[in-house]
């Protein structure tokens, strides 16, 4: 069965420093993977998605993620954090269940950005 | 990304009443919509998959008679929480998948329900 594990529940960085949010996946076949961001009391916004094309995926707002099959990882990175990046980030895998493609969410990582 | 709206954005109701939440796909037709529930500081949990013109498919443990889903058109799905109780207080989020599109889901802004 497909699943994702977000290794850190909280990450804190200083503004201008790199961001690394870790995600490992489990899948019996080539997965589709996503990163979504949720700002407080808001819905989810798609940052980027991997669907078996290029392993390095570039998303919005300077984020990118690299699909590493050997490590079953899909970590999210950004070279320089901005205050507006403070939010909850979800790593998500698409799973075929009951005839539908369903999204399976990780537990989330809360990113705090300090001045 | 696609624009998905939800109405209302927040609602407060008395215990025992019913509350209807609307989810609209504004940019494209969506044969399939999804309803999620999110408790404070927790992840999203899929409640049900809503299909236009047919019955919704509920996840294990979700009471279909309590959470009524209607997907009457390709751009509108509604979730009705019947006989709401305080434990139903939560953040309800819908998402849409474009008919014939990829598996990418586009999410609405969510509806915060507080049952007193």
């Amino acid at each position: 069965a497909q699943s994702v594990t977000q290794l850190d529940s909280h990450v804190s960085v200083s503004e201008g420093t790199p961001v690394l949010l870790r995600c490992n996946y489990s899948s019996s076949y080539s997965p589709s993977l996503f990163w979504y961001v949720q700002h407080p009391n808001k819905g989810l916004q798609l940052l980027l998605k991997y669907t078996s094309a290029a392993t390095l995926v570039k998303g919005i707002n300077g984020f990118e993620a690299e699909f590493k099959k050997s490590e079953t990882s899909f970590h999210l990175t950004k070279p320089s954090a901005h205050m507006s990046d403070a939010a909850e980030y979800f790593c998500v895998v698409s799973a075929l269940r009951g005839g539908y493609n369903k999204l399976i969410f990780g537990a989330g990582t809360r990113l705090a950005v300090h001045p | 990304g696609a624009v998905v709206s939800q109405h209302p954005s927040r609602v407060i109701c008395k215990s025992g009443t019913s509350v209807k939440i609307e989810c609209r796909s504004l940019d494209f037709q969506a044969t399939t919509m999804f309803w999620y529930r999110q408790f404070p500081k927790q992840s999203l949990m899929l409640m049900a998959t809503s299909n236009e013109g047919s019955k919704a498919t509920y996840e294990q443990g979700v009471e279909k008679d309590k959470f009524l889903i209607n997907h009457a058109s390709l751009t509108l799905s509604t979730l009705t929480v019947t006989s709401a109780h305080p434990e139903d207080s939560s953040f309800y989020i819908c998402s849409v998948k474009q008919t014939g599109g990829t598996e990418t889901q586009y999410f609405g802004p969510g509806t915060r329900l507080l049952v007193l």
Side-chain angles (χ1 to χ4, degrees), chain A residues 76-98:
Chain A
L76 182 69
T77 60
K78 182 173 180 176
S80 176
H82 192 272
M83 296 296 290
S84 61
D85 294 327
E88 188 87 17
Y89 291 79
F90 293 99
C91 182
V92 182
V93 65
S94 177
L96 184 62
R97 293 186 183 174

Side-chain angles (χ1 to χ4, degrees), chain A residues 14-41:
Chain A
S14 298
E15 188 176 21
T17 64
V19 175
L20 170 63
L21 304 183
R22 298 183 295 167
C23 173
N24 285 106
Y25 70 90
S26 173
S27 179
S28 55
Y29 54 84
S30 183
S32 292
L33 293 159
F34 308 78
W35 276 98
Y36 282 89
V37 61
Q38 184 181 33
H39 288 91
N41 296 310

Side-chain angles (χ1 to χ4, degrees), chain A residues 52-73:
Chain A
S52 73
T55 56
L56 182 62
V57 183
K58 294 187 182 298
I60 62 172
N61 301 335
F63 284 95
E64 62 181 38
E66 186 171 8
F67 174 75
K68 291 187 176 180
K69 186 176 181 179
S70 61
E71 300 177 8
T72 61
S73 68

